Amino acid sequence: MTTTWVALLRAVNVGGRTVKMERLRELFADVGLVDVRSYIQSGNVFFTDPAGLDRAELGRRIEAHLAEALGWPVPVLLRTVEELAAVVEADPFRGVEVTPDVRLLVAFLTEPPPADLELPARTKRGDVEVIAVTDAEAFAVGRIIDGRPVGKLEPVLGKGWPGQVTARFFHTTVKILAAARKG
């Protein structure tokens, strides 16, 4: 059985680092990946790898090619469709009231969260509250406070945490999974 991968990219189409999805799909194909598709403009790419590389090597190759082609580093967080389905099925947000000022976030991590992270964990400002974690994700409730957008999750993980994070709204994660399954 062929694995369908979901690449969740960080630093694409934010902060002036713009790349059209057609170009992004071409860059993935350049690495030898097939059945390449994308979902919305925030760097979600689906593909299969006929070479059958392991996750670490596959991620390194994609990151190196994107950095060379685009001129900036693009962290690539890979999940299988099954792993993404487990994230959606876990849904630790049950019971969280969504209001216009509340955002439900899934933070995809390259490294496990700190073992001593006590939940719930909040930023000093209180705009991000991590309510659950796995070895590869953190589930956070973001709050817009005084009209200021939700901040970053990294401060909750601590200065010594060595990983990278890319976040998606939970409802977007559900849509990414549905799109990935359509392949």
Side-chain angles (χ1 to χ4, degrees), residues 15 171 181:
H171 70 274
R181 284 179 166 163

Side-chain angles (χ1 to χ4, degrees), residues 46-112:
F46 318 126
F47 63 90
T48 56
D49 172 28
L53 297 175
D54 70 28
R55 181 188 315 260
E57 179 60 24
L58 187 57
R60 279 192 294 273
R61 285 191 185 187
I62 295 168
E63 284 182 358
H65 186 63
L66 292 177
E68 181 180 325
L70 298 174
W72 70 82
V74 179
V76 176
L77 291 87
L78 296 173
R79 300 294 187 270
T80 65
V81 171
E82 294 78 16
E83 289 166 342
L84 199 59
V87 167
V88 169
E89 290 166 12
D91 187 5
F93 301 113
R94 289 180 191 101
V96 175
E97 182 181 352
V98 176
T99 68
D101 294 332
V102 171
R103 306 289 185 264
L104 307 180
L105 304 165
V106 180
F108 296 93
L109 312 175
T110 59
E111 300 291 329

Side-chain angles (χ1 to χ4, degrees), residues 106-145:
V106 180
F108 296 93
L109 312 175
T110 59
E111 300 291 329
D116 61 350
L117 183 66
E118 292 185 30
L119 299 178
R122 294 176 189 84
T123 58
K124 287 182 183 179
R125 198 173 114 203
D127 61 332
V128 177
E129 178 183 25
V130 175
I131 61 170
V133 295
T134 68
D135 283 344
E137 291 86 26
F139 299 89
V141 176
R143 291 182 174 80
I144 297 172
I145 299 174

